[in-house]
Amino acid sequence: DAKTTQPPSMDCAEGRAANLPCNHSTISGNEYVYWYRQIHSQGPQYIIHGLKNNETNEMASLIITEDRKSSTLILPHATLRDTAVYYCIAYFGNEKLTFGTGTRLTIIP
Amino acid sequence: NAGVTQTPKFQVLKTGQSMTLQCAQDMNHEYMSWYRQDPGMGLRLIHYSVGAGITDQGEVPNGYNVSRSTTEDFPLRLLSAAPSQTSVYFCASSTHWDRQLVGYTFGSGTRLTVV
């Protein structure tokens, strides 16, 4: 599985769009980019995933660069409930999912 | 659907005791995994399973056993509890949809303290 690099922490004002970057420069052609988040002491929550096309669901949008070496998770209108640790994972979608250290996102009122 | 159910939610063990953490899912998912999360740390994979009768080791398997006799259940056994196993344990499950692995569904966790 490709290594991913995320900033350790970010702040975002409530109501603004939160843009969380992820670098995965060694990603291979059939590795997907998955995003999860973990709200304090709860189990992680799946957000979105994609291969090379941009994806959107009810929670977020995922923008993957054309060369697939980086991606951005966008929370369009951040609320206080979006304060969490966000994990970007690049892997084949096989059964062995491992987590890095993620980005701690704090939404500021 | 209940999703992924973990029991118990809290447990205190004495050093050397054994116990089983239960995990059950009702989504007919073939993939199941166990993670531990120490305070202020990320999640580490203990064991995982790709289907009934098949299990494999993750990053930190020592001191733990698993079995997968049914699709629904994936219990985690602590053989002889040690204080280093004080942690929060999460169970998760997933399946393939349209040849892609859908996002894992996690349980709410078991908070284990070994004294």
Side-chain angles (χ1 to χ4, degrees):
Chain A
D1 299 339
K3 177 178 168 57
T4 61
T5 303
Q6 300 178 253
S9 65
M10 293 180 61
D11 293 337
C12 178
E14 187 179 16
R16 304 297 293 268
N19 296 280
L20 291 90
C22 179
N23 184 290
H24 32 79
S25 58
T26 62
I27 195 170
S28 64
N30 53 355
E31 285 184 307
Y32 288 78
V33 179
Y34 283 76
W35 283 84
Y36 287 79
R37 73 180 182 183
Q38 186 175 25
I39 297 170
H40 177 63
S41 75
Q42 298 180 17
Q45 177 187 26
Y46 163 78
I47 301 172
I48 199 167
H49 75 281
L51 184 62
K52 50 186 174 182
N53 297 322
N54 297 338
E55 302 286 347
T56 295
N57 63 20
E58 65 278 4
M59 289 183 67
S61 295
L62 173 61
I63 308 298
I64 303 174
T65 58
E66 191 168 345
D67 63 8
R68 301 210 326 120
K69 293 185 177 181
S70 66
S71 61
T72 301
L73 179 75
I74 300 172
L75 308 178
H77 304 287
T79 70
L80 298 178
R81 288 175 295 181
D82 292 321
T83 291
V85 178
Y86 287 76
Y87 298 97
C88 168
I89 303 164
Y91 83 131
F92 294 105
N94 61 11
E95 59 279 6
K96 189 174 177 179
L97 173 65
T98 57
F99 288 79
T101 55
T103 295
R104 182 172 299 277
L105 175 68
T106 303
I107 306 302
I108 310 295
Chain B
N1 277 352
V4 177
T5 302
Q6 291 185 237
T7 56
K9 293 190 183 304
F10 301 93
Q11 183 71 48
V12 179
L13 284 180
K14 294 184 179 179
T15 298
Q17 286 185 318
S18 63
M19 80 158 293
T20 299
L21 279 62
Q22 301 291 345
C23 176
Q25 52 91 9
D26 61 357
M27 298 172 284
N28 201 32
H29 285 176
E30 63 268 40
Y31 302 127
M32 296 187 75
S33 301
W34 275 102
Y35 295 84
R36 62 176 287 175
Q37 186 170 35
D38 300 330
M41 304 283 287
L43 293 103
R44 291 185 291 172
L45 181 65
I46 305 172
H47 285 286
Y48 64 100
S49 169
V50 301
I54 306 169
T55 64
D56 207 344
Q57 296 181 348
E59 304 168 273
V60 289
N62 291 341
Y64 307 95
N65 273 358
V66 292
S67 60
R68 185 93 180 272
S69 56
T70 67
T71 299
E72 294 77 20
D73 300 300
F74 191 41
L76 178 71
R77 279 182 287 277
L78 279 70
L79 308 173
S80 177
S84 61
Q85 294 179 304
T86 293
S87 191
V88 181
Y89 292 83
F90 291 104
C91 179
S93 73
S94 185
T95 188
H96 278 110
W97 180 258
D98 194 20
R99 294 177 295 175
Q100 299 177 29
L101 193 71
V102 303
Y104 272 82
T105 299
F106 282 78
S108 57
T110 293
R111 283 149 183 80
L112 176 68
T113 301
V114 183
V115 298

